[in-house]
Amino acid sequence: MEPLFLAKGWADEMVALVGGKSPVSTGRIADPSVLEPPDLIVVALCGLDRATSAKELRSKPFPSWWRASPAVKAGHVYVVDGNQMFNRPTNRLLDAMEWLGVVVANPAAYDSIEGFPVEAFDSLDAGAPPEMSAIEAAIFAAHAAACAANEARYNDPATGYGVFTAKYLMDRQACCGNRCRHCPYGHANVPLEQLHLIKTKNTLTSSVFLRAPKPSATGCLGYRNPKPVHGELRDAVVVFWSGGKDSLLALVDTIEALNSAREDIVLLTTFNPNEEVVPVQNIDTRTVVAQANAMNLPLFLVAVCASMSMFICPCGSIPTGSNYKELVDDALREIPRVRMPHIRQIKALVVGDLHLQDVHDWRVAAFPEYEIRSPLWRRDMHSDLLPRLGTLCDKYNATVRYSAVDRDRMPPSIQEGDTYDPTLVPATVDVMGENGEFHTVVHFG
């Protein structure tokens, strides 16, 4: 619930049609306490069924604005199967609107439509999930109280030791790799051989910003962002980083083009929080964090739901859903001053598009307020990009492997995890996989 996202698009229209009123016109709410307190709350999480949504909702501390709202005090909070009923443009939206009309008129009749996937949600006194043990519930309550009081730590009810809160760790903008109980980064930097020591591994469920791990050190690409100077405000270039070979080529070209310009480079990656992977690319977020660490660059991981992430068409992958653009826009607005106080503005967005005109046009139309840089655009793959990729892999000790393979268009001899060898790609397939035949991941070292 931090930040809070309100359903928009057709959900707004549905609410209005049944006589309800949405509090604001934007989906992302940084401070929900400034809103008019809701009389009715319907939780319809994207990509999750009713039971999973209720469990996810109970896994987080309830903020003060939630507990103080008339809806919560009156017991008018309902969890529905958002994935099935509200978040897809199907005929089920009519069933959802029928139910919404009933519950807006009379919240007590929430279960009057037989078969509708809904449950009443009581969070006012429940606090922790019911399956928690007594000590787990005590930890949950202590952590919630510390977060509400904006405290950096609380004393563990069992041991008395100090424990950092998720909010404090989020403000640090780094996963320390020490298996912190409330790590908001999904324990991304905990060594693989130590993951089994964590009683409950945290999942990466929301957007997080990670600063460059060693600001004064040079990354594996021989580059680091300029050292901040007191009082200096700089521009930043945001590279849309998918984790594959095209991103690497575009990033290195961007670094070389900067020369001595005092501009920062920031990586931005969207991921599916339900699976902790980059949509379509099939690269897990842990790998993306490892890439950013190796290159010593800041990384913004932006959570998007699977159902709003990508539409796969014969000519490539185009992000769909108004929420995708909204979430990325919000992230871009947060980078200057908020995530990186020394950044004045985002100067340009860098993408790894090769030759798909519709994808390129979509980006330009979706982000008109930014300069879109496409350093690989229309460059010859065989005489230019592929030789350059080989040179970069040798220079930076990098390996490119297949992360996703379309089994209908690729031969069985090429499997996920195999090293990418363009000479083995069939002549009937785009050698760079630009049409979605395959995707790649870059490993350093």
Side-chain angles (χ1 to χ4, degrees):
M1 287 183 282
E2 293 183 345
L4 176 69
F5 287 91
L6 301 184
K8 307 308 296 178
W10 59 69
D12 254 353
E13 298 177 21
M14 293 167 66
V15 170
L17 286 171
V18 299
K21 176 186 175 184
S22 293
V24 288
S25 59
T26 182
R28 185 181 187 279
I29 309 298
D31 183 9
S33 64
V34 303
L35 300 178
E36 182 179 351
D39 299 304
L40 175 69
I41 297 176
V42 177
V43 180
L45 300 186
C46 185
L48 302 182
D49 60 19
R50 175 190 52 77
T52 307
S53 296
K55 183 178 180 180
E56 180 68 21
L57 190 59
R58 286 188 179 277
S59 70
K60 309 294 182 185
F62 297 109
S64 57
W65 67 264
W66 172 279
R67 292 180 175 275
S69 69
V72 172
K73 290 182 176 180
H76 296 163
V77 180
Y78 306 101
V79 180
V80 300
D81 187 331
N83 187 52
Q84 180 182 174
M85 305 305 300
F86 280 87
N87 302 329
R88 299 175 184 270
T90 69
N91 290 339
R92 287 183 174 178
L93 289 177
L94 298 176
D95 298 328
M97 191 163 68
E98 179 187 4
W99 174 83
L100 200 58
V102 170
V103 78
V104 166
N106 179 16
Y110 74 93
D111 58 353
S112 61
I113 297 181
E114 184 177 358
F116 192 85
V118 59
E119 67 176 79
F121 185 85
D122 181 10
S123 62
L124 190 58
D125 298 314
E131 65 271 17
M132 284 187 177
S133 65
I135 188 61
E136 288 172 334
I139 290 173
F140 183 97
H143 180 236
C147 288
N150 201 30
E151 295 176 350
R153 67 178 70 194
Y154 65 92
N155 291 330
D156 183 280
T159 66
Y161 294 151
V163 180
F164 288 126
T165 65
K167 185 179 186 306
Y168 169 77
L169 295 172
M170 183 75 80
D171 291 341
R172 289 183 61 185
Q173 299 184 347
C175 173
C176 62
N178 289 326
R179 310 196 303 273
C180 298
R181 175 183 289 167
H182 302 292
C183 175
Y185 308 104
H187 293 121
N189 287 333
V190 175
L192 286 173
E193 63 272 15
Q194 295 183 18
L195 286 178
H196 73 281
L197 300 175
I198 303 173
K199 182 178 180 181
T200 303
K201 181 185 177 299
N202 294 349
T203 55
L204 190 58
T205 58
S206 59
S207 301
V208 293
F209 182 87
L210 295 104
R211 57 177 170 79
K214 299 177 181 179
S216 60
T218 298
C220 66
L221 299 182
Y223 172 85
R224 69 174 176 86
N225 282 329
K227 184 177 180 180
V229 176
H230 180 70
E232 177 191 28
L233 291 177
R234 299 200 297 267
D235 294 342
V237 174
V238 174
V239 176
F240 280 27
W241 178 262
S242 69
K245 57 179 174 37
D246 298 349
S247 290
L248 176 63
L249 286 165
L251 173 60
V252 173
D253 271 25
T254 299
I255 290 173
E256 294 177 352
L258 287 180
N259 293 320
S260 59
R262 290 187 62 79
E263 296 175 352
D264 282 30
I265 292 177
V266 182
L267 307 180
L268 187 147
T269 302
T270 57
F271 73 99
N272 174 5
N274 299 330
E275 300 176 355
E276 294 185 279
V277 298
V278 180
V280 181
Q281 300 289 137
N282 194 34
I283 301 173
D284 63 88
T285 53
R286 185 181 179 87
T287 296
V288 175
V289 172
Q291 292 173 329
N293 288 344
M295 296 182 290
N296 199 34
L297 290 173
L299 169 68
F300 208 148
L301 285 168
V302 181
V304 298
C305 291
S307 60
M308 71 169 74
S309 56
M310 293 283 179
F311 169 68
I312 311 302
C313 60
C315 56
S317 305
I318 300 178
T320 60
S322 60
N323 281 348
Y324 175 91
K325 171 176 162 41
E326 183 175 295
L327 292 170
V328 173
D329 270 336
D330 286 341
L332 293 173
R333 283 192 291 267
E334 284 185 15
I335 291 174
R337 304 296 184 95
V338 178
R339 302 290 185 169
M340 302 177 72
H342 64 284
I343 296 301
R344 173 178 49 231
Q345 65 176 351
I346 303 299
K347 187 172 183 179
L349 308 181
V350 177
V351 297
D353 297 340
L354 298 176
H355 57 73
L356 297 181
Q357 190 67 52
D358 54 348
V359 176
H360 179 75
D361 291 346
W362 181 90
R363 296 192 198 278
V364 173
F367 303 102
E369 61 270 48
Y370 300 102
E371 174 193 351
I372 304 296
R373 296 180 184 174
S374 304
L376 313 183
W377 187 246
R378 298 285 173 86
R379 287 167 60 177
D380 188 89
M381 290 181 281
H382 293 280
S383 65
D384 182 0
L385 294 181
L386 288 174
R388 178 160 173 75
L389 179 63
T391 299
L392 295 181
C393 287
D394 291 339
K395 181 177 181 179
Y396 300 123
N397 192 24
T399 303
V400 178
R401 298 186 182 277
Y402 291 100
S403 61
V405 176
D406 186 335
R407 290 271 60 99
D408 292 331
R409 292 187 282 177
M410 295 291 286
S413 58
I414 295 179
Q415 300 288 327
E416 294 178 6
D418 290 350
T419 300
Y420 169 65
D421 184 346
T423 65
L424 299 180
V425 176
T428 56
V429 172
D430 186 294
V431 71
M432 298 286 281
E434 182 73 343
N435 296 313
E437 301 95 336
F438 62 86
H439 299 279
T440 60
V441 58
V442 177
H443 295 283
F444 295 106

